[in-house]
C-alpha cells in the first residue's frame, strides 16, 4: 500500500451522502481511518452548526460518564480493559444510552447524598460520645482536696470579694463541644479577648481521628468545655463557637444522666454503622454493574461525538436532501473508501447509494505516509525535524539504517551494545503482552515506542564495538596482535614504558590485525591520540557521505517536480561546493591512508594544517630534490615536513578548487531570486493584460 | 550595576512574568465578544467558551446552566491562576500579590459585617465572599459586638490600604512605580468621585466625607478640598474639568439611551491604564493589570450571560471591550 520512498499520492474527493445514510457512512469511514475531511463551513460559529444539539447531548453524556468514572476511581475499582473496539451505535440507540446514564447518575447521586447524611450523623454521634466521656473526666473528683472542675472554675472566675467558702458558690453555666485541633490556639485567644478573661476553658484531645463526611479525610478534634457566668457571656461564647465551626453538644449536668445518654448514643452508633455498611454495599453494587460496560460506553460516546463533528463540516444540500463532504484520501485507498461507503449505505437501509467522485484541484494535498510498526518510529524521528511536503522524497527510508549506524559509530562498545540489543530484543519479542498492559509511565512508553530502533542501535553497536575493539572498555585479542616487541626480558622487567617502532616491531609478514583495532593499543599510552585521529577521519568521511546522499536526494526531487531552475541554481552549485571543499578533504584522507608508510612518516602531511592553508592560500614548498615519493630519503635534505606540499602541482589544484567553490556562492544566492522575480512580474503583466 | 534592575528581574520573577503574559494573551478578544453576543442560550455561550482559553471549565456542570454557576466558575478559574502565581513567587512579588488580595479581603469584611448588621446567618454570607480575599478567621468576624464602630474603622482601613500600597510601589521604584502609582492614583481619585456623588442626598456631612477621601491620588490636596465642598453633580464636574484626563471621563455621561454611566467611563479608563501596563517589561504592574483585566472580563461575560438568560438583548453591547 504505497512505498516508503515518497509520500503517498493523494486525491481530493467529493462524497454525496444521503441524509439517512450519512451517519453510518461516516461511521464506516471513521473505522477505516484513511480519510481527512475538509471543513466546508469555516466561518460558521460552533453553536450555529447543524448538529450542535447532538453534540450538546454527547457532552452531557460524557459528563455523566466522567462522574461515574470518578466514583469508580474513588472506590478503587479498576476498569477492565478488554481491548474491544465497539462501533458507534445508531442515532436511535443514543436515546437509550442517555436514559441508562441518567438512571445510573441519579442513583449514584442519591446514594452519595444518603451516605453523606449518614456519615454526618455518625460524626455527630461520635463527637457527642467523646464529649460525654471527656466531661465525665472533667467532672470527676480528682486530686487530694477533692477539687472538682467546678471548684476550679469558681476559683478562677469568681472574685475574692465573695466568700471563699463554697457555700456561696455562684451558679455557673457551661457549654461543651468539639472543635478542630488546629483552631484551638486562635479559639483560646479570641475567647480571652472577647470575654475579657471571664470564661474558664478546658481542652482535651480526642485521640483517634474522625472521618469528614464529605471528603473522607481524617480530622483531629478536641473536646472543650467553657464555664461562664451570665446570659451575655453565654451569647458571646455561642457566637464565637459558631465562628470557629465548633459544634456544641447538650451535656447534662448530673453524672447519671450523662451515663444514660452515653449508653443511648452507643447503641445508636451501632445501628448507624450497620445502615452505613448497607448503603456502601448498595453503592458498590451499582458501581459493579456498570464496571463491565463503562469502557465501551466511553468509546461509543466519543465516536458519536466525532461523527457529528465530521457531519458539521459538510455542506447541506437542501434540494437533494443530501450532505456534501470534501475529503483527502490516498489514491491507493480509493477502493476501500468506496467499499466503506457502500457498506454504510447498506447498513442504514437507504436505497440511494452514496457517490464518491474525484476532484481535480490545484491545492497542495496533505502529506501522508503509510507506516507499519517498524517504520513508525523512524518516521516520527524525521517528523520532529519537519514534515516533508507533498510527494517529496522521504528521508525515513534511509534513516532506518543511517540513524542506528551513526549512533553506533558514537557508541562503539561491544559489551554495552550487546546489552542494549538484548533489551531491545526483549521488548520486541514481548511486544503484544507489553502493549496490552498499557502503562501510564511516560518514560517507559518512550522506550517501548522505540523498541525497534533500540534493537538496531544495539546490534550496530556490537559491530562498531568489534571495529573499535572495545568491550566494556577493554580490548579483545581474538587473532593475536601484529606488534611484536623486540626487547630483552630484563629490559622489559626494568623499564615502565618502551617505544615500539612500527618499522621494526610491526609484523609486515602476516599483516595487520584482521578485523578491527589491534589489541596492543589498549596497553599503549598514546592510544587516545591514535584512535582520535582514526575516529575523526572516519566521522568526516561518514558525515560528508551522508551530506552527499542528501544532496543527491534533492536532485531526485528536482527531477520529479520537473524544476530545471532548481537543478542549475541549487543542485549544481551545492554539489560543486561540497565536492570541491569537503569531497577533496575526503579524497586527501584516503590518499594519505594509502600512500604514506612508515618510511616517510616525517613527511606525512597534517591534513588539518593543509586544509586551513588551502583557504589562506599559503603553501610551503619543499626543496627542489623532493620527488614526492615515499622512500627513506633524509627529510632534512628534502625539506619536507607535515606542512609541505605533498604532491606535484598541489598548490595550483587547491587554488582552483577554492576559487571554484567560492564562485558557487553567488550562483546559489543570487540567480534564483532574480529569476523568480522575473517570472512573478511576467505573470502579473499577463494577468493585467488579459 | 544597581541602576539596571531589569537585568536581574528574570532571575526571580521571569517564569511568573512569562506566565502572566500568557494568561493575558488568553483574555477574550473583540471577535470572541461578537460571537458571544450572538448566543441564544447559555449552552451556546458554554460551547463558544470551549474554544477559548477557558476550555472545559463548565464541562462538569449539569445542564441547565445558570448565571450564578458561570460566575462561580469564572471566579474559580481566576483564583486557581492567581494561587499558582502566589505559590510560586518570591519576595518582593509575594508582598505585592498579597497587597492585591488585601482589597478583596476588605471587601469581604465589609460584606460580612453588613450582613451581620442585618441579622443574616453566617452560613449565608460566606459563599458570597470573593474567594481571592478569603482568610482564616474570616468567619469569626460576625462575633463583633459593635459592628457599627467597625464599619467606620473599615473605611479608614480602606484608605490606609490604598496609601500603603502606593508607598510600597513607590519604594520599589522603576517601572513598577511608574505603572502602579498611576493606577493607584486613578483608583484613589475614582473613589473620591464616587463617594462624593453617592453622598449627595444622604446624611453624610461634608467633614465626614472629607475623611473618607484617600490621599494618594492626583486630586490631593486641592481637588479633594474642592470636592469636600461640592454640593451637586455639576460642581463635581467642575472639579474634574481642572484635571486633564478626568475632564473627558465626564463627557458623554448621562441617563439617555446611548450614553454611558460614569462608572462605565471609569471602567473604560481603568482598562486603558491596565492595557498600557503590559507595554513595559520587568515590573510587577503586569500582575495587577492581569487581575483587574480578568475581573473586567468576568463582569463582561456575566453581563452578556444575564442578557442572554433573560432574553433582554437591548443593552447586550454595553460590555467594556478590552482587546
Amino acid at each position: 500500500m504505497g512505498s516508503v520512498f515518497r509520500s503517498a499520492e493523494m486525491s481530493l474527493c467529493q462524497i454525496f451522502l444521503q441524509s439517512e445514510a450519512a451517519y453510518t457512512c461516516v461511521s464506516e469511514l471513521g473505522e477505516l481511518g484513511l480519510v481527512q475531511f475538509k471543513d466546508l463551513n469555516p466561518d460558521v460559529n460552533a453553536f450555529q452548526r447543524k448538529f450542535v444539539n447532538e453534540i450538546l447531548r454527547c457532552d452531557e453524556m460524557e459528563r455523566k460518564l466522567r462522574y461515574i468514572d470518578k466514583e469508580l476511581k474513588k472506590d478503587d475499582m479498576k476498569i477492565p480493559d478488554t481491548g474491544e473496539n465497539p462501533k458507534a451505535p445508531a442515532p436511535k440507540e443514543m436515546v437509550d444510552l442517555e436514559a441508562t446514564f441518567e438512571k445510573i447518575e441519579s442513583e449514584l447521586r442519591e446514594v452519595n447524598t444518603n451516605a453523606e447524611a449518614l456519615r454526618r450523623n455518625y460524626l455527630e454521634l461520635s463527637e457527642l460520645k467523646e464529649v460525654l466521656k471527656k466531661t465525665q473526666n472533667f467532672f470527676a473528683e480528682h486530686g487530694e482536696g477533692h477539687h472538682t472542675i467546678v471548684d476550679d472554675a469558681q476559683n478562677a472566675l469568681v472574685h475574692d470579694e465573695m466568700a471563699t467558702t463554697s457555700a456561696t458558690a455562684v451558679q455557673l453555666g457551661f457549654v461543651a463541644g468539639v472543635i478542630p485541633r488546629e483552631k484551638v490556639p486562635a479559639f483560646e485567644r479570641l475567647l480571652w479577648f472577647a470575654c475579657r478573661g471571664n470564661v474558664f476553658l478546658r481542652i482535651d484531645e480526642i485521640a483517634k481521628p474522625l472521618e469528614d463526611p464529605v471528603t473522607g479525610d481524617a480530622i483531629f478534634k478536641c473536646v472543650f468545655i467553657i464555664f461562664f457566668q451570665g446570659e451575655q457571656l453565654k451569647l458571646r461564647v455561642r457566637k464565637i463557637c459558631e465562628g470557629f465551626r465548633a459544634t456544641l453538644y447538650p451535656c447534662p449536668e448530673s453524672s447519671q444522666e450523662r451515663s444514660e445518654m452515653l449508653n443511648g448514643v452507643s447503641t445508636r452508633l451501632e445501628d448507624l454503622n450497620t445502615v452505613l455498611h448497607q448503603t456502601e454495599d448498595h453503592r458498590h453494587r451499582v458501581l459493579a454493574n456498570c464496571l463491565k460496560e463503562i469502557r465501551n460506553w466511553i468509546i461509543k460516546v466519543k465516536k458519536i461525538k466525532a461523527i457529528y463533528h465530521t457531519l458539521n463540516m459538510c455542506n447541506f444540500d437542501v434540494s437533494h436532501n443530501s450532505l456534501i463532504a470534501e475529503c483527502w484520501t490516498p489514491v491507493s485507498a480509493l477502493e476501500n473508501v468506496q467499499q466503506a461507503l457502500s457498506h454504510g449505505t447498506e447498513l442504514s437501509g437507504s436505497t440511494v447509494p452514496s457517490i464518491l467522485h474525484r476532484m481535480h484541484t490545484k491545492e497542495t494535498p496533505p502529506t501522508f505516509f503509510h507506516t507499519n510498526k517498524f517504520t513508525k518510529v523512524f518516521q516520527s524521528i524525521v517528523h520532529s525535524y519537519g514534515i516533508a511536503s507533498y510527494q517529496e522524497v522521504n528521508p525515513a527510508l534511509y534513516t532506518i539504517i543511517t540513524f542506528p549506524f551513526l549512533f553506533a559509530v558514537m557508541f562503539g562498545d561491544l559489551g554495552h551494545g550487546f546489552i542494549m540489543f538484548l533489551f531491545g530484543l526483549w521488548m520486541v519479542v514481548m511486544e503484544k503482552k507489553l502493549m496490552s498492559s498499557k502503562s501510564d509511565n511516560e518514560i517507559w512508553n518512550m522506550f517501548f515506542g522505540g523498541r525497534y530502533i533500540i534493537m538496531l542501535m544495539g546490534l550496530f553497536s556490537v559491530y562498531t564495538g568489534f571495529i573499535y575493539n572495545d568491550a566494556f572498555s577493554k580490548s579483545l585479542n581474538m587473532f593475536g596482535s601484529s606488534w611484536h616487541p623486540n626487547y630483552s626480558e630484563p629490559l622489559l622487567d626494568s623499564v615502565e614504558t618502551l617505544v615500539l617502532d612500527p618499522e621494526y616491531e610491526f609484523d609486515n609478514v602476516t599483516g595487520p590485525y584482521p578485523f578491527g583495532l589491534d589489541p596492543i593499543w589498549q596497553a599503549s599510552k598514546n592510544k587516545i591520540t591514535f584512535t582520535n585521529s582514526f575516529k575523526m577521519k572516519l566521522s568526516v568521511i561518514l558525515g560528508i557521505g551522508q551530506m552527499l546522499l542528501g544532496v543527491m536526494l534533492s536532485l531526485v526531487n528536482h527531477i520529479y517536480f520537473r524544476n530545471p531552475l532548481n537543478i542549475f541554481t541549487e543542485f549544481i552549485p551545492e554539489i560543486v561546493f561540497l565536492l570541491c571543499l569537503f569531497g577533496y578533504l575526503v579524497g586527501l584522507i584516503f590518499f594519505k591512508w594509502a600512500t604514506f608508510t612508515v618510511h616517510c612518516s616525517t613527511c606525512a602531511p597534517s591534513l588539518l594544517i593543509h586544509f586551513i592553508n588551502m583557504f589562506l592560500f599559503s603553501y610551503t614548498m619543499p626543496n627542489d630534490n623532493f620527488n614526492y615519493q615515499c622512500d627513506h630519503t633524509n627529510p632534512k635534505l628534502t625539506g619536507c615536513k607535515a606542512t609541505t606540499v605533498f604532491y606535484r602541482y598541489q598548490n595550483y589544484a587547491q587554488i582552483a578548487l577554492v576559487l571554484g567553490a567560492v564562485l558557487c556562492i553567488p550562483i546559489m544566492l543570487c540567480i534564483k531570486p532574480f529569476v523568480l522575480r522575473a517570472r512573478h512580474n511576467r505573470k502579473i503583466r499577463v494577468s493585467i493584460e488579459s | 550595576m544597581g541602576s539596571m534592575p531589569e537585568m536581574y528581574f528574570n532571575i526571580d520573577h521571569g517564569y511568573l512574568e512569562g506566565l502572566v503574559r500568557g494568561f493575558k494573551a488568553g483574555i477574550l478578544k473583540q471577535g470572541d465578544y461578537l460571537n458571544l453576543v450572538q448566543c441564544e442560550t447559555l449552552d451556546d455561550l458554554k460551547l463558544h467558551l470551549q474554544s477559548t482559553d477557558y476550555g472545559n471549565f463548565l464541562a462538569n456542570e449539569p445542564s441547565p446552566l445558570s448565571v450564578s454557576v458561570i460566575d462561580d466558575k469564572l471566579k474559580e478559574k481566576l483564583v486557581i491562576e492567581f494561587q499558582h502565581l502566589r505559590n510560586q513567587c518570591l519576595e518582593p512579588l509575594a508582598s505585592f500579590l498579597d497587597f492585591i488580595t488585601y482589597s478583596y479581603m476588605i471587601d469581604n469584611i465589609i460584606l460580612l459585617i453588613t450582613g451581620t448588621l442585618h441579622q443574616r446567618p453566617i452560613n449565608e454570607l460566606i459563599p458570597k465572599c470573593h474567594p481571592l480575599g478569603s482568610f482564616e478567621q474570616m468567619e469569626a468576624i460576625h462575633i463583633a459586638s459593635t459592628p457599627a464602630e467597625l464599619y467606620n474603622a473599615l473605611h479608614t482601613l480602606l484608605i490606609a490600604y490604598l496609601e500603603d500600597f502606593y508607598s510600597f510601589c513607590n519604594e520599589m521604584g522603576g517601572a513598577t512605580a511608574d505603572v502602579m502609582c498611576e493606577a493607584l492614583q486613578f483608583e484613589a481619585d475614582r473613589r473620591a468621585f464616587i463617594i462624593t456623588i453617592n453622598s449627595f442626598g444622604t446624611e453624610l456631612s461634608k467633614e465626614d466625607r472629607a475623611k473618607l477621601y484617600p490621599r494618594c491620588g492626583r486630586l490631593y490636596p486641592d481637588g479633594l478640598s474642592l470636592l469636600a465642598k461640592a454640593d451637586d453633580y455639576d460642581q463635581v464636574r467642575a472639579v474634574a474639568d481642572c484635571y486633564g484626563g478626568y475632564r473627558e471621563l465626564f463627557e458623554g455621561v448621562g441617563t439617555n439611551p446611548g450614553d454611558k454611566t460614569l462608572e462605565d467611563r471609569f471602567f473604560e479608563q481603568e482598562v486603558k491604564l491596565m492595557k498600557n501596563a503590559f507595554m513595559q517589561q520587568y515590573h510587577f504592574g503586569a500582575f495587577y493589570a492581569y487581575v483587574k483585566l480578568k475581573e473586567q472580563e468576568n463582569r463582561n461575560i456575566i453581563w452578556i450571560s444575564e442578557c442572554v438568560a433573560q432574553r433582554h438583548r437591548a443593552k447586550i453591547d454595553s460590555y467594556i471591550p478590552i482587546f
Side-chain angles (χ1 to χ4, degrees), chain A residues 8-278:
Chain A
E9 192 188 340
M10 307 289 279
S11 114
L12 183 65
C13 304
Q14 211 173 30
I15 307 182
F16 292 92
L17 298 160
Q18 290 304 311
S19 293
E20 316 93 60
Y23 182 89
T24 34
C25 285
V26 173
S27 167
E28 289 295 316
L29 288 176
E31 297 288 333
L32 188 62
L34 283 174
V35 156
Q36 177 181 312
F37 283 92
K38 257 172 80 170
D39 188 2
L40 294 174
N41 307 319
D43 308 324
V44 181
N45 287 332
F47 50 88
Q48 286 170 342
R49 292 197 183 223
K50 193 162 179 293
F51 294 98
V52 67
N53 282 331
E54 281 79 2
I55 294 193
L56 279 173
R57 281 163 67 190
C58 288
D59 274 338
E60 208 25 52
M61 285 201 280
E62 277 189 333
R63 183 189 64 80
K64 295 191 180 124
L65 284 173
R66 265 200 299 270
Y67 175 72
I68 301 175
D69 192 47
K70 201 170 70 150
E71 294 296 313
L72 283 169
K73 280 203 173 58
K74 244 198 249 179
D75 270 15
D76 281 331
M77 296 170 88
K78 202 159 155 358
I79 303 174
D81 192 353
T82 54
E84 254 182 85
N85 196 358
K87 278 207 193 159
K92 312 189 266 301
E93 288 175 38
M94 208 163 116
V95 184
D96 293 333
L97 278 177
E98 277 178 323
T100 323
F101 298 159
E102 178 66 43
K103 196 166 80 89
I104 300 179
E105 191 204 7
S106 55
E107 225 179 307
L108 271 178
R109 278 200 199 274
E110 205 185 307
V111 165
N112 281 344
T113 350
N114 289 345
E116 196 181 308
L118 285 171
R119 272 197 287 265
R120 209 181 291 275
N121 222 348
Y122 188 83
L123 180 71
E124 277 174 13
L125 285 176
S126 315
E127 289 179 356
L128 179 56
K129 185 169 164 186
E130 292 292 330
V131 166
L132 289 173
K133 281 206 310 222
K134 301 280 183 195
T135 45
Q136 203 80 298
N137 294 340
F138 283 151
F139 280 111
E141 307 231 307
H142 65 91
E144 303 90 50
H146 295 287
H147 291 284
T148 62
I149 190 171
V150 184
D151 292 334
D152 290 336
Q154 296 260 9
N155 288 338
L157 296 178
V158 177
H159 290 298
D160 283 354
E161 297 142 30
M162 311 284 248
T164 48
T165 59
S166 47
T168 49
V170 177
Q171 188 55 22
L172 291 176
F174 73 95
V175 289
V178 166
I179 186 172
R181 196 167 63 177
E182 51 273 3
K183 299 203 177 163
V184 165
F187 185 59
E188 283 186 67
R189 261 204 305 275
L190 192 58
L191 263 180
W192 183 262
F193 279 129
C195 308
R196 289 177 248 268
N198 281 338
V199 295
F200 182 75
L201 167 75
R202 275 295 265 287
I203 306 243
D204 200 357
E205 264 189 45
I206 303 180
K208 75 172 178 38
L210 301 158
E211 200 189 330
D212 180 63
V214 181
T215 58
D217 294 337
I219 320 177
F220 287 93
K221 294 204 175 184
C222 299
V223 173
F224 65 88
I225 185 166
I226 307 178
F227 289 93
F228 47 78
Q229 184 188 9
E231 273 306 304
Q232 259 205 344
L233 275 175
K234 181 173 179 184
L235 270 157
R236 202 173 286 186
V237 163
R238 275 191 188 277
K239 269 197 168 174
I240 295 175
C241 292
E242 219 181 278
F244 275 85
R245 291 192 199 269
T247 19
L248 295 172
Y249 290 101
C251 190
E253 288 236 16
S254 73
S255 155
Q256 194 199 13
E257 282 178 33
R258 275 202 296 273
S259 30
E260 274 174 27
M261 210 175 180
L262 191 59
N263 288 337
V265 167
S266 303
T267 28
R268 273 162 68 195
L269 268 176
E270 276 170 32
D271 291 335
L272 249 184
N273 225 344
T274 23
V275 178
L276 252 177
H277 280 309
Q278 283 174 347

